[in-house]
Structures are given as C-alpha cells and as structure tokens.
Amino acid sequence: MSEIESVLHENRSFEPPTAFRETASINDLETYREMHRRSIEEPEDFWGEVARELPWIEPFESVLDWSEKPVAKWFGGGKLNASAVCLDQHLTTERRDKVAILFEGEPGDVKSYTYAEAHAEVCRMANALAERGVKRGDRVAIYMPMIPELAFALLACARLGAIHSVIFGGFSATAIRDRVADGGCTAVITADGGWRRGKVLELKKVVDEALAGIDSVHTVFVVKRTNNEVAWDERRDVDLLAAMAGASAERAPEAMDAEDTLFLLYTSGSTGKPKGIRHTTGGYLVGTYLTSKYVFDLKEDDVYWCTADIGWITGHSYIVYGPLANGATCVMYEGAPNAPHPGRFWELVEKHRVSVLYTAPTAIRAFMRWGDEHVTRFDRSSLRLLGTVGEPINPKAWMWYREVVGEGRCPIVDTWWQTETGAIMITPLPGAVSTKPGSACLPFFGVDAAVVDEDGTELGANQGGLLCVRKPWPSMLRGIWGDDERYRETYWSRFGGKYYFAGDGARRDEDGYFWIMGRVDDVLNVSGHRLSTMEIESALVSHPGVVEAAVVPRPDDLTGEAVAAFVTASPGCEPGDAFADELREHVAKEIGKLARPADIHFADALPKTRSGKIMRRLLRDVAAGREVLQDTTTLEDRSVLDRLSAEGK
Ligand code: WT7
C-alpha cells in the first residue's frame, strides 16, 4: 500500500493556559515525557504502582502476562469489585457526603445522590436482582434512559459479579433480540419509558417485542420513570423501584478476579453481525481510573459532565467507572441537547456550575449551526476544561469550541480511543501539552502507538498510514464474546499478530503529534493519490458557508475515483451551482486541485449513526446513483438518507 497523502495544514498551537497549569496535576511536558517513557520501558512497575492506588480485596501477584498473545492478562491473582472501587472506598472518607451523581431529567427534574446514597441504592438494586436469582457470571441486558438507575444498574450487576450488556436506548427490538441472544442474557433491566424531546420513548414496549419468543430471559426489571401504561407479565416482570424499597441497603461485593468479565458492549462495525466487545475488571478499572484522573485533571470540587449516553463506551468509562473511581461529581442529563431549546446544554452548565465538559464533534457542529447566541446567553465562567471524542474534530469546530464555548480560557482535550481500547489512548494532558486544532496530540501512559505502512514499518513525519498499538495496555479488550477467532482476525491479523490495528489512518507530525485521518475504509483514490476523506471534509467545513460535510469516492472512468461531497450549508447560504463552484475553488486553494470535489450534493442533514458518526458507506451508494441495499438499522434517522437518494434520481 502506498501511504495516505496528508494534505491538511494546520499551524496553530496553544500552550496550556498559565492559570490552568498552576493547579494541574501534571504541568510540564518533561514530566509527561518521563512518565510516558517509564510506562513504556518499565510497564510492570508503572502499572503496578497505579493499580495499587485502587482498593483490592486481595492483592495481585503479577502485573502483565502476555504469554497467550493476543489475549493479555493483567493483575493476575488480584481480586476486586468494580462497584466497591467506585463507591465503597469513598465511604470512609470525606467523599461520603459528596455528590456522586447529579441528575437532571429532560422535563427539568433534578435529583442528586451522594456517594453514601448511591452506595445504598446500588446495594438495594443488587439485592433486588439477587432475590430473583441474578448471580455471578450471569449476563444481564440493560436497556434504559439516561437516569441515575442506569448507572446504578451497571454497578449493581458489577457488585454481584454479573456481566452487564448495555444496549443503547435508541436501538430497535431486533437489535435487542440479537444482543440478548448472542450474550445469552437471562435478565433485562429496563424502564417504562424515558423523556426525549418532550415525548415518552416507550422502552418497555420495545423490550416486550424483542423478547417475544425468547425464553432464556427469566426476569425483566422495570424502573418506572414516565408512568406510561405498559403491558405486564406477572411471572416475568418486576417493578424494580418497589423491589428496591423493600430491600436491604447493604450487600457485600463479590470478590472478582482481575480477569473476570465486567461487561460486554456491542459495536456494530461497518459490516457483519455486532461484536460483543469483552472487557474485564482489573485492567479496565485501572485504565479508566488513570485516564480520568489525568486527562480531565479532576479536582475535588470539579463538577464533571460527560454528555455521552451510557449506552456507549464513553458513558461506561467516563460517566460511570473512571470518574466514580476518582470520587468525582458527575452530571447526568436525560434528554436531547435542543429540548426544549437549543441552549439546553449551556443552561445546564450555568445551573450546575459545570467545570469539565466532555462531548462529541457532532454535538459541537450542531451548536455551531444553531447559533452562538444560544451558547453565549448562559454563564460559562465555571468551565475550566473542554473535551471531545468520537470522530476527528475539524479545526473550525475546534476553534469555535475554544473561542465561543470556552471563551478562549479552557484547554481542549481531543481524545482518541475506541470501544475496544476501553480507555483514552491518544490525548493531550491539559496542563502539560500544547494543543493543535484537529490533533489528538500525544499517546497516554502505557500506549505505544505508531503510524506504520502495510508491512508494519514505522513511517516518517507527516506520512499518512495505519495507526496501530505495539504493546498491550490494561484496559484493552480481551476478546469478542463467543468468538475468539474473530478477535484475532479483526484486530491482530493485519500485521501477522504483532500489532493491534482497529482500522484508523493517521499521521504524526514533526513534533510527534498524532492527526487521526478517519477510518482507512473511507480513504479514496484519485488518480493514484490516496486521500483521507476527513481532510477534504475539514477543508470544506473551513468555508464559513459550510457547517458539516461528508466526502466519499464515486467511481470515475478517468480518475478511478472522483471526490463526491455532501454538504450542509450554514443558515443564510444559498445552495446552488454558484456556491458549489465557490466551494470547489475553496478546496483547491486549501489543499490542492486534486481534492476538488467533482460532485457537490447539498443536504439539510447527513445520515448518521445513533452515536453521531456520519455513515459514509451509505453515501457511497447515493454518490454512485445506486439504490442503498445495505444494512441501515444503525441509522439515527432513515428519512435523511431517503431524501438524499430521491434527489439523486
Ligand atoms: C472510532 C471508535 C471512543 C469513544 C467513542 C467512539 C473514531 C474516536 C476520535 C478522535 C478522531 C476518533 C475513530 C475510532 N474516533 N475518537 N478523538 N479523533 N477519531 O467509540 O464507536 O468504538 O469508535 O471513533 O475512528 O476508531 P467507537
């Protein structure tokens, strides 16, 4: 394979602000470099020390066992319990009465739980589950709205040693059925409904449909949230809040082996059946604990808000396990960012005095489109750190996040990682590393990341290639549920078992900074030049008239592939031929004539997954004028695609 040509040029750089640096736990580049060096050269010492900061029920005897490559074992012999790490350890400290979860529902109802209260709720829930036979090793599916009971459900399963499998609350009955069957789940935790844009999402109804004809599930636990009418099967369904009210607020945590499975989380992948990514207890907690501590530079008085849904890995690692292991105060919000108005997030920031905010590029671009006034009319002076995850963030959105949301005061941590990696892998440390708009910056401790060619040879500065990881890290996945072969094949076969590769392209610049170039499946080939779609998108979006863009290849007789762009114009911009020509010239000027889009389709919205990722593989069909026959079940809104297809005809 020839390298992926990098055409994006971004020269801005921002040092950590002095005020931030003064209190940051790691506040100079040398300290970061020395700690990183040690974590790579002496991983057992480094991770052994970190792991000892967590409360173990029985100490581990070894740190890493890599003899059964590619399945790592970390902290062998150690026993611990994830819910005790997140809750019990704080009960003997001043954090006992500190708020752990600060919840706001979409209708505006607010409820907070201190660490002591959260502990009691989790124990009650664990007892209610155990009463109905849920036990160590069982798999429990969780399909819930973003309410505190969702976080408690994860922790209650963990307390019993049951393996949770959270299914995002926007998924369909079919998606639930497939995941329940694949994981062999014997119980489901759900709610009657949840609030979304003023309406009730009827979750229990979807679960009933999903479970029709499935008899492996003995109990469905239902949290009453919206009090809508639900069908009730007396033998199978349990009113969970009622059962908790009658249960004891004490329950001893199961002593789990470090390598016992903590949870499964399904990723759809671009093709084939969803993979149940398997994470274990010890390494996952060590990884999420340390990344939360340093990447978010957590302080005792921080109010930390990760806006992701717990249905995704971001919510598992950075709403529940990582922040709670650090004793942080975590905000949880149930609803949509624009309900009932487009300033809702910023209203929440003002109201709860949020200091650390972690969100996604797709949300940032939506706020840009809705207009600055919805942000600026709320007080954001409490914010001190901003984070982003999920997709490459284009420099224009990064700068907007910095200037408009953060008033130029807050560092931005652009964090690259995956469901499979469990924890943040590439990121700036906000008090130590200068940031560059669009770059995820430098590897976190213990991460030996490299950009290599097809043979696994490391590429030079600014050469685009495959992003891989050369050493095991504690929070890495241990496999795919029920399919070890698929684990090897998907992540380890590209470099003959030597390196982990999960599909992203990247380059490293002259300072060693990583610039993620998107999925390698998305690379396009124009006249023999391999270009990253993400860089062309970024160039398009840098035009003031563009809020969002997706670029895909379209077959072309002359050039092999031509660049096709789907563009959402800014309010007040007139889509049409003249504007399309202006955009072509803009791309030519920004990155070169080669990347100039042959086709420009204007769209009021782009087809996205429910987690906000643009589904380029579907747009390829639209660009080529083909009917879309692929699997579209992970689409957020099917009508967006239908409108685009209809326009192409
Ligand atoms: C893929 C993983 C990790 C939590 C959310 C997504 C893309 C993620 C970044 C970033 C550029 C990013 C990658 C990655 N991605 N973060 N900061 N910069 N790309 O988890 O659904 O498993 O997706 O998201 O392509 O491989 P996921």
Side-chain angles (χ1 to χ4, degrees):
M1 179 199 89
S2 56
E3 68 176 86
I4 309 168
E5 289 177 40
S6 177
V7 285
L8 181 78
H9 301 289
E10 173 57 61
N11 300 317
R12 287 168 289 197
S13 167
F14 298 92
E15 282 186 15
T18 315
F20 191 93
R21 192 169 237 163
E22 269 162 16
T23 63
S25 49
I26 298 180
N27 59 8
D28 67 283
L29 192 60
E30 272 325 298
T31 309
Y32 156 75
R33 288 208 191 281
E34 173 49 25
M35 286 175 76
H36 186 261
R37 185 203 59 75
R38 191 167 160 250
S39 73
I40 298 297
E41 289 172 11
E42 300 150 36
E44 306 218 2
D45 289 351
F46 181 89
W47 287 115
E49 259 170 44
V50 173
R52 274 179 219 104
E53 292 175 23
L54 297 184
W56 292 79
I57 298 169
E58 276 177 38
F60 49 90
E61 287 148 17
S62 64
V63 174
L64 170 64
D65 174 359
W66 191 222
S67 62
E68 283 165 48
K69 205 173 163 177
V71 184
K73 292 202 179 87
W74 286 87
F75 312 114
K79 290 192 195 298
L80 76 173
N81 182 287
S83 83
V85 171
C86 291
L87 301 171
D88 304 38
Q89 68 157 322
H90 306 305
L91 300 188
T92 51
T93 71
E94 287 190 348
R95 289 181 183 148
R96 186 185 170 84
D97 300 315
K98 173 177 174 175
V99 172
I101 291 180
L102 176 47
F103 166 75
E104 179 156 332
E106 197 185 81
D109 48 322
V110 174
K111 195 158 185 197
S112 68
Y113 296 83
T114 64
Y115 273 91
E117 288 163 345
H119 174 265
E121 294 297 317
V122 167
C123 287
R124 284 197 188 95
M125 194 185 287
N127 284 323
L129 299 181
E131 178 75 18
R132 288 285 298 205
V134 175
K135 57 179 191 310
R136 184 174 179 139
D138 287 359
R139 273 83 60 206
V140 178
I142 300 177
Y143 182 71
M144 287 178 77
M146 278 286 287
I147 55 176
E149 287 79 7
L150 169 53
F152 300 154
L154 273 65
L155 295 167
C157 287
R159 201 159 188 90
L160 298 172
I163 297 168
H164 58 73
S165 170
V166 182
I167 302 163
F168 171 61
F171 277 138
S172 66
T174 319
I176 302 174
R177 184 181 302 135
D178 291 349
R179 285 161 177 75
V180 165
D182 186 80
C185 296
T186 50
V188 177
I189 308 176
T190 188
D192 50 359
W195 292 105
R196 192 80 189 171
R197 297 205 170 86
K199 294 205 187 76
V200 174
L201 258 184
E202 296 188 68
L203 298 174
K204 164 83 161 62
K205 199 169 154 189
V206 184
V207 169
D208 287 340
E209 190 189 333
L211 297 185
I214 289 196
D215 43 21
S216 64
V217 173
H218 58 69
T219 307
V220 175
F221 298 94
V222 185
V223 173
K224 295 209 172 146
R225 160 76 180 144
T226 43
N227 294 314
N228 48 308
E229 217 172 296
V230 290
W232 204 260
D233 175 344
E234 285 300 339
R235 282 160 312 166
R236 190 197 67 181
D237 299 343
V238 169
D239 179 334
L240 186 53
L241 296 181
M244 285 165 68
S248 156
E250 291 293 337
R251 169 124 202 153
E254 279 284 311
M256 305 303 290
D257 287 328
E259 282 301 333
D260 277 337
T261 302
L262 176 62
F263 66 84
L264 306 179
L265 186 60
Y266 286 81
T267 59
S268 53
S270 45
T271 49
K273 89 179 215 291
K275 306 182 282 255
I277 302 299
R278 190 168 71 82
H279 281 289
T280 57
T281 310
Y284 175 78
L285 285 169
V286 169
T288 52
Y289 161 73
L290 198 72
T291 46
S292 300
K293 174 172 163 174
Y294 287 137
V295 177
F296 302 121
D297 188 49
L298 290 173
K299 300 279 175 271
E300 211 54 70
D301 56 357
D302 269 322
V303 176
Y304 163 88
W305 183 20
C306 165
T307 70
D309 193 288
I310 291 179
W312 312 120
I313 190 70
T314 308
H316 283 57
S317 300
Y318 297 111
I319 296 178
V320 182
Y321 291 108
L324 296 181
N326 280 280
T329 294
C330 303
V331 172
M332 229 179 129
Y333 169 59
E334 177 185 30
N338 54 353
H341 60 79
R344 185 67 188 273
F345 268 28
W346 318 108
E347 185 180 34
L348 284 159
V349 165
E350 174 183 287
K351 181 168 168 190
H352 300 298
R353 303 292 298 157
V354 171
S355 57
V356 179
L357 180 74
Y358 191 33
T359 192
T362 182
I364 297 167
R365 289 190 299 260
F367 293 125
M368 285 173 73
R369 185 164 68 234
W370 294 337
D372 296 5
E373 65 279 12
H374 300 293
V375 182
T376 52
R377 73 189 168 93
F378 295 101
D379 176 20
R380 283 128 29 252
S381 61
S382 57
L383 289 172
R384 63 180 203 93
L385 177 62
L386 302 172
T388 154
V389 60
E391 280 180 287
I393 179 165
N394 45 290
K396 179 173 154 187
W398 195 101
M399 288 302 296
W400 182 89
Y401 197 25
R402 177 187 152 84
E403 299 303 335
V404 179
V405 173
E407 304 174 299
R409 174 184 68 243
C410 310
I412 294 180
V413 287
D414 175 2
T415 61
W416 177 87
W417 59 296
Q418 309 174 304
T419 303
E420 293 87 341
T421 69
I424 293 168
M425 301 289 277
I426 303 179
T427 177
L429 293 185
V433 173
S434 294
T435 53
K436 305 183 188 188
S439 171
C441 299
L442 299 171
F444 188 73
F445 304 133
V447 177
D448 182 17
V451 176
V452 302
D453 67 12
E454 199 72 18
D455 304 323
T457 309
E458 192 158 8
L459 291 167
N462 292 316
Q463 291 184 289
L466 309 175
L467 175 60
C468 71
V469 187
R470 297 183 288 200
K471 286 200 174 64
W473 63 100
S475 65
M476 69 194 292
L477 77 165
R478 301 301 195 266
I480 294 173
W481 183 256
D483 199 345
D484 291 339
E485 193 37 50
R486 193 170 174 206
Y487 167 64
R488 281 164 214 275
E489 170 60 32
T490 310
Y491 304 105
W492 295 89
S493 63
R494 188 90 183 218
F495 302 109
K498 253 171 48 186
Y499 304 150
Y500 168 86
F501 175 63
D504 285 342
R507 72 179 161 97
R508 264 187 120 162
D509 69 15
E510 51 290 343
D511 298 323
Y513 278 48
F514 285 84
W515 297 77
I516 313 297
M517 295 163 79
R519 310 292 297 170
V520 289
D521 307 340
D522 288 337
V523 166
L524 47 78
N525 193 326
V526 183
S527 308
H529 298 270
R530 302 181 78 244
L531 303 173
S532 139
T533 55
M534 175 255 143
E535 292 196 339
I536 306 173
E537 289 161 7
S538 209
L540 281 164
V541 173
S542 71
H543 188 286
V546 176
V547 273
E548 195 153 48
V551 163
V552 295
R554 192 249 302 143
D556 186 90
D557 291 341
L558 201 62
T559 53
E561 286 179 344
V563 177
F566 294 80
V567 167
T568 304
S570 306
C573 264
E574 198 52 53
D577 289 346
F579 186 38
D581 281 340
E582 187 180 329
L583 291 179
R584 286 191 184 93
E585 284 325 300
H586 178 74
V587 172
K589 191 168 106 296
E590 289 291 304
I591 57 182
K593 285 191 176 150
L594 194 64
R596 197 157 47 181
D599 311 335
I600 294 188
H601 308 261
F602 290 100
D604 56 354
L606 299 173
K608 291 182 184 172
T609 63
R610 287 162 217 266
S611 60
K613 289 193 167 77
I614 298 169
M615 290 187 80
R616 294 182 188 76
R617 65 181 168 88
L618 302 181
L619 289 174
R620 285 175 182 228
D621 284 345
V622 179
R626 290 187 298 257
E627 197 182 337
V628 182
L629 298 169
Q630 311 177 49
D631 180 11
T632 55
T633 48
T634 53
L635 263 184
E636 151 103 77
D637 179 359
R638 167 84 219 200
S639 70
V640 170
L641 183 70
D642 294 339
R643 283 200 299 280
L644 279 170
S645 303
E647 276 162 26
K649 291 213 173 88

